[in-house]
Amino acid sequence: MYSKGEYSIMTLRERFLEDGFLILPNFNTVEACDQLMARAEKLSNEFDYKGHASIFQTSEQTKTSDEYFLNSGENISFFFEKDAFDEKGELKNDVFHSLNKIGHAIHDLDEVFNSFTRSPQMKKLAADLQLEDWLIIQSMYIFKHAKIGGVVDVHQDASFLYTEPASCIGFWFALEDATIENACMWAKPGGHKTSLRSRFKRKEGGGTEMINLDDTPYSFEGMIPLEVKKGTCIVLDGYLPHYSKPNTSGKSRHAYAIHTIDRKAHYPASNWLVRNMSTLMPI
C-alpha cells in the first residue's frame, strides 16, 4: 500500500515539481487491480457497439472526433482501436479485445471505479501533494491489448484539459506490469519545464480543432522508459510531454488514468470535454 517511502511530505511535492512526474510502487494492491480489470471486461462485453462505434486515434484526433466522443464527458463511453474493424465494418475480434479505451466519467458513474479512484491512499497522496482542492474531471480505462494496442503520440495532457492558469495533473495506474516490451510510457525528468504546444478545443460550427500555441518541436533527448510493476501509480504534470509506442508484444498493458484540475482555475466552455463543473468532486 502507498507510503512516501524514501520521500518526506516536503520532498514528495518537491520531487514532483522538479521531475514533472512521480513513480509510486505498490500504490494499489494486486487484488484491487484485478477487480478493476474484471469490471472493465464486464462493461465491455455488455456494450452494444452497433450504430455508435467510435474509433480513438491520438494521431488524427480532429478527424476522428464525433458526437459520441464529444458527449462522453458525462457518460461511460467506449472507443475502438483503428484496426479493430475489417473492410466491411465488422469487428475482427470480440468487443473486449477490440477496444482502445473506456472514458470519460466512469469514475463517477460506476461503483467499482469510483471506489478505486477515491481510495484512502489517493486522498493521502492528494494531501501530500497539496492537491486537496483538485477536481477529478475525467477518467480513462486504457486497454493497450497485445498485438493491437495502438501508439499514443507524444503529447501534453494540458492540451486536452486546458485551464487558466494551467493546473492539469494526471494519475496513471498500472493494472499490469508496464515494460518496454509491452509499450510502457516514456517521459523526460524535468520535461514539464517547457511551453504548452497546443490546445484541443471545440470548433465553432461543430467538431474540434487543435490550435497551435508553440511551434517548438518536442525533444526526445533524455526521455526514459517508465517501466513499472502492477499496482504502481505514476503522477504526471499536465505540461510533461509523454508517449507510448504500439504494443506489438504478446502481453497486454492495461492501465487506468484520471485527470484533475484546480477548482479555482478557469475551465473554458470551448474545451472539448464538457462537464457540469458544479457536480465535480475532489480527489
Side-chain angles (χ1 to χ4, degrees), residues 2 6 15 37-39 43 45 61 98 135-136 143 170 172 178 206 219 227 237 254 262-263 274 280:
Y2 161 64
E6 64 181 285
R15 177 55 59 189
M37 291 174 65
R39 182 59 179 162
L43 290 172
N45 290 333
Q61 187 62 72
S98 303
L135 305 173
I136 305 174
F143 291 92
W172 188 95
S219 172
E227 294 189 283
D237 184 277
H254 288 220
D262 186 353
R263 185 197 300 271
V274 174
L280 296 188

Short mmCIF file of all heavy atoms in Angstrom, two decimals, residues 2 6 15 37-39 43 45 61 98 135-136 143 170 172 178 206 219 227 237 254 262-263 274 280:
data_model
loop_
_atom_site.label_atom_id
_atom_site.label_comp_id
_atom_site.label_asym_id
_atom_site.label_seq_id
_atom_site.Cartn_x
_atom_site.Cartn_y
_atom_site.Cartn_z
N TYR A 2 0.34 2.33 -0.49
CA TYR A 2 1.10 3.56 -0.67
C TYR A 2 1.73 4.08 0.60
O TYR A 2 1.11 4.17 1.64
CB TYR A 2 0.19 4.63 -1.26
CG TYR A 2 0.69 6.05 -1.09
CD1 TYR A 2 1.87 6.46 -1.70
CD2 TYR A 2 -0.02 6.96 -0.32
CE1 TYR A 2 2.33 7.75 -1.56
CE2 TYR A 2 0.44 8.26 -0.17
CZ TYR A 2 1.62 8.65 -0.79
OH TYR A 2 2.06 9.93 -0.64
N GLU A 6 10.95 6.70 0.33
CA GLU A 6 12.16 7.50 0.54
C GLU A 6 11.85 8.98 0.67
O GLU A 6 12.72 9.77 1.02
CB GLU A 6 13.12 7.29 -0.62
CG GLU A 6 12.56 7.77 -1.95
CD GLU A 6 13.52 7.54 -3.10
OE1 GLU A 6 14.50 8.29 -3.21
OE2 GLU A 6 13.27 6.61 -3.87
N ARG A 15 9.96 16.80 -5.27
CA ARG A 15 10.42 15.92 -6.34
C ARG A 15 9.47 15.99 -7.54
O ARG A 15 9.92 15.99 -8.69
CB ARG A 15 10.53 14.47 -5.82
CG ARG A 15 10.93 13.44 -6.87
CD ARG A 15 12.21 13.79 -7.57
NE ARG A 15 13.33 13.90 -6.66
CZ ARG A 15 14.53 14.37 -7.00
NH1 ARG A 15 14.76 14.78 -8.23
NH2 ARG A 15 15.50 14.43 -6.11
N MET A 37 -9.88 -4.61 -13.52
CA MET A 37 -9.78 -5.23 -14.83
C MET A 37 -11.00 -6.10 -15.13
O MET A 37 -11.52 -6.09 -16.24
CB MET A 37 -8.50 -6.07 -14.91
CG MET A 37 -7.22 -5.24 -14.92
SD MET A 37 -5.72 -6.25 -14.84
CE MET A 37 -5.82 -7.12 -16.40
N ALA A 38 -11.46 -6.82 -14.12
CA ALA A 38 -12.64 -7.66 -14.30
C ALA A 38 -13.88 -6.82 -14.58
O ALA A 38 -14.73 -7.19 -15.41
CB ALA A 38 -12.86 -8.52 -13.05
N ARG A 39 -13.98 -5.69 -13.90
CA ARG A 39 -15.12 -4.81 -14.11
C ARG A 39 -15.10 -4.21 -15.52
O ARG A 39 -16.14 -4.12 -16.18
CB ARG A 39 -15.12 -3.69 -13.06
CG ARG A 39 -16.30 -2.73 -13.17
CD ARG A 39 -17.62 -3.46 -13.02
NE ARG A 39 -18.75 -2.54 -13.10
CZ ARG A 39 -20.01 -2.92 -13.35
NH1 ARG A 39 -20.29 -4.21 -13.54
NH2 ARG A 39 -20.98 -2.03 -13.39
N LEU A 43 -18.04 -4.64 -18.37
CA LEU A 43 -18.67 -3.49 -19.03
C LEU A 43 -18.49 -3.57 -20.55
O LEU A 43 -19.41 -3.27 -21.31
CB LEU A 43 -18.08 -2.19 -18.50
CG LEU A 43 -18.43 -1.80 -17.06
CD1 LEU A 43 -17.61 -0.59 -16.63
CD2 LEU A 43 -19.92 -1.50 -16.92
N ASN A 45 -18.02 -6.29 -22.43
CA ASN A 45 -18.80 -7.37 -23.01
C ASN A 45 -20.30 -7.06 -23.05
O ASN A 45 -21.04 -7.64 -23.84
CB ASN A 45 -18.56 -8.66 -22.23
CG ASN A 45 -17.15 -9.21 -22.44
OD1 ASN A 45 -16.53 -8.96 -23.47
ND2 ASN A 45 -16.64 -9.93 -21.46
N GLN A 61 -6.69 13.09 -34.02
CA GLN A 61 -7.75 13.37 -33.06
C GLN A 61 -8.88 14.21 -33.66
O GLN A 61 -10.04 13.95 -33.44
CB GLN A 61 -7.18 14.08 -31.84
CG GLN A 61 -8.17 14.25 -30.70
CD GLN A 61 -8.66 12.93 -30.16
OE1 GLN A 61 -7.93 12.23 -29.50
NE2 GLN A 61 -9.89 12.58 -30.43
N SER A 98 -11.06 -5.52 -28.80
CA SER A 98 -11.02 -4.55 -29.90
C SER A 98 -10.98 -3.11 -29.40
O SER A 98 -10.77 -2.19 -30.18
CB SER A 98 -12.27 -4.72 -30.79
OG SER A 98 -12.35 -6.04 -31.29
N LEU A 135 -10.16 18.86 -8.63
CA LEU A 135 -11.35 18.10 -9.01
C LEU A 135 -11.01 17.04 -10.03
O LEU A 135 -10.19 17.27 -10.93
CB LEU A 135 -12.40 19.04 -9.60
CG LEU A 135 -12.82 20.24 -8.74
CD1 LEU A 135 -13.73 21.17 -9.55
CD2 LEU A 135 -13.52 19.78 -7.46
N ILE A 136 -11.65 15.87 -9.94
CA ILE A 136 -11.48 14.82 -10.94
C ILE A 136 -12.41 15.14 -12.10
O ILE A 136 -13.63 15.07 -11.97
CB ILE A 136 -11.78 13.44 -10.37
CG1 ILE A 136 -10.93 13.17 -9.13
CG2 ILE A 136 -11.53 12.36 -11.43
CD1 ILE A 136 -11.27 11.88 -8.41
N PHE A 143 -6.73 0.00 -22.53
CA PHE A 143 -6.53 -1.44 -22.70
C PHE A 143 -5.12 -1.81 -23.16
O PHE A 143 -4.51 -2.72 -22.62
CB PHE A 143 -7.55 -2.00 -23.68
CG PHE A 143 -8.96 -1.99 -23.16
CD1 PHE A 143 -9.80 -0.92 -23.40
CD2 PHE A 143 -9.43 -3.04 -22.40
CE1 PHE A 143 -11.10 -0.89 -22.90
CE2 PHE A 143 -10.73 -3.04 -21.89
CZ PHE A 143 -11.56 -1.95 -22.15
N GLY A 170 -2.30 14.49 -13.86
CA GLY A 170 -2.83 13.17 -14.13
C GLY A 170 -2.29 12.13 -13.17
O GLY A 170 -1.19 12.26 -12.62
N TRP A 172 -1.85 7.96 -13.26
CA TRP A 172 -1.88 6.80 -14.15
C TRP A 172 -1.57 5.56 -13.32
O TRP A 172 -0.53 5.50 -12.66
CB TRP A 172 -0.85 7.01 -15.26
CG TRP A 172 -0.83 6.02 -16.38
CD1 TRP A 172 -1.46 6.14 -17.59
CD2 TRP A 172 -0.10 4.79 -16.44
NE1 TRP A 172 -1.17 5.05 -18.38
CE2 TRP A 172 -0.34 4.21 -17.69
CE3 TRP A 172 0.73 4.12 -15.53
CZ2 TRP A 172 0.21 3.00 -18.07
CZ3 TRP A 172 1.28 2.91 -15.90
CH2 TRP A 172 1.03 2.36 -17.17
N ALA A 178 4.13 -2.78 -16.72
CA ALA A 178 4.37 -1.99 -17.93
C ALA A 178 5.88 -1.99 -18.20
O ALA A 178 6.66 -1.54 -17.37
CB ALA A 178 3.87 -0.56 -17.74
N GLY A 206 -19.17 23.23 -35.05
CA GLY A 206 -19.16 21.78 -34.85
C GLY A 206 -17.79 21.17 -35.01
O GLY A 206 -16.91 21.72 -35.68
N SER A 219 11.35 17.52 -27.81
CA SER A 219 12.66 16.90 -27.80
C SER A 219 12.57 15.52 -27.15
O SER A 219 12.05 15.38 -26.04
CB SER A 219 13.65 17.76 -27.01
OG SER A 219 14.89 17.08 -26.85
N GLU A 227 9.18 2.06 -16.78
CA GLU A 227 8.84 0.66 -16.56
C GLU A 227 8.42 0.48 -15.11
O GLU A 227 9.19 0.80 -14.19
CB GLU A 227 10.01 -0.24 -16.90
CG GLU A 227 10.39 -0.23 -18.37
CD GLU A 227 11.42 -1.30 -18.69
OE1 GLU A 227 12.60 -1.09 -18.38
OE2 GLU A 227 11.03 -2.35 -19.26
N ASP A 237 2.61 15.71 -14.40
CA ASP A 237 2.31 17.12 -14.59
C ASP A 237 1.67 17.33 -15.97
O ASP A 237 2.06 16.68 -16.94
CB ASP A 237 3.60 17.94 -14.49
CG ASP A 237 3.36 19.44 -14.57
OD1 ASP A 237 3.24 19.95 -15.71
OD2 ASP A 237 3.30 20.09 -13.53
N HIS A 254 -2.77 -3.19 -19.50
CA HIS A 254 -3.94 -2.44 -19.05
C HIS A 254 -3.53 -1.38 -18.02
O HIS A 254 -2.64 -1.60 -17.19
CB HIS A 254 -4.97 -3.38 -18.42
CG HIS A 254 -5.67 -4.23 -19.43
ND1 HIS A 254 -7.01 -4.51 -19.37
CD2 HIS A 254 -5.22 -4.88 -20.53
CE1 HIS A 254 -7.36 -5.28 -20.38
NE2 HIS A 254 -6.28 -5.53 -21.10
N ASP A 262 -7.49 22.24 -10.87
CA ASP A 262 -7.72 23.08 -9.70
C ASP A 262 -9.12 23.68 -9.78
O ASP A 262 -9.51 24.25 -10.80
CB ASP A 262 -6.66 24.19 -9.67
CG ASP A 262 -6.71 25.04 -8.42
OD1 ASP A 262 -7.64 24.88 -7.61
OD2 ASP A 262 -5.80 25.88 -8.27
N ARG A 263 -9.87 23.54 -8.70
CA ARG A 263 -11.24 24.08 -8.65
C ARG A 263 -11.25 25.59 -8.93
O ARG A 263 -12.19 26.13 -9.51
CB ARG A 263 -11.85 23.82 -7.27
CG ARG A 263 -13.31 24.23 -7.14
CD ARG A 263 -13.73 24.33 -5.68
NE ARG A 263 -13.58 23.08 -4.97
CZ ARG A 263 -14.53 22.15 -4.91
NH1 ARG A 263 -15.69 22.33 -5.53
NH2 ARG A 263 -14.33 21.04 -4.21
N VAL A 274 -16.83 18.43 -21.91
CA VAL A 274 -17.83 19.22 -21.21
C VAL A 274 -18.30 18.47 -19.97
O VAL A 274 -18.73 17.32 -20.06
CB VAL A 274 -19.03 19.53 -22.12
CG1 VAL A 274 -20.13 20.23 -21.34
CG2 VAL A 274 -18.59 20.39 -23.30
N LEU A 280 -18.73 18.24 -9.95
CA LEU A 280 -17.46 17.55 -9.84
C LEU A 280 -17.01 17.47 -8.40
O LEU A 280 -17.19 18.40 -7.63
CB LEU A 280 -16.38 18.27 -10.68
CG LEU A 280 -16.58 18.31 -12.18
CD1 LEU A 280 -15.34 18.87 -12.86
CD2 LEU A 280 -16.92 16.95 -12.74
#
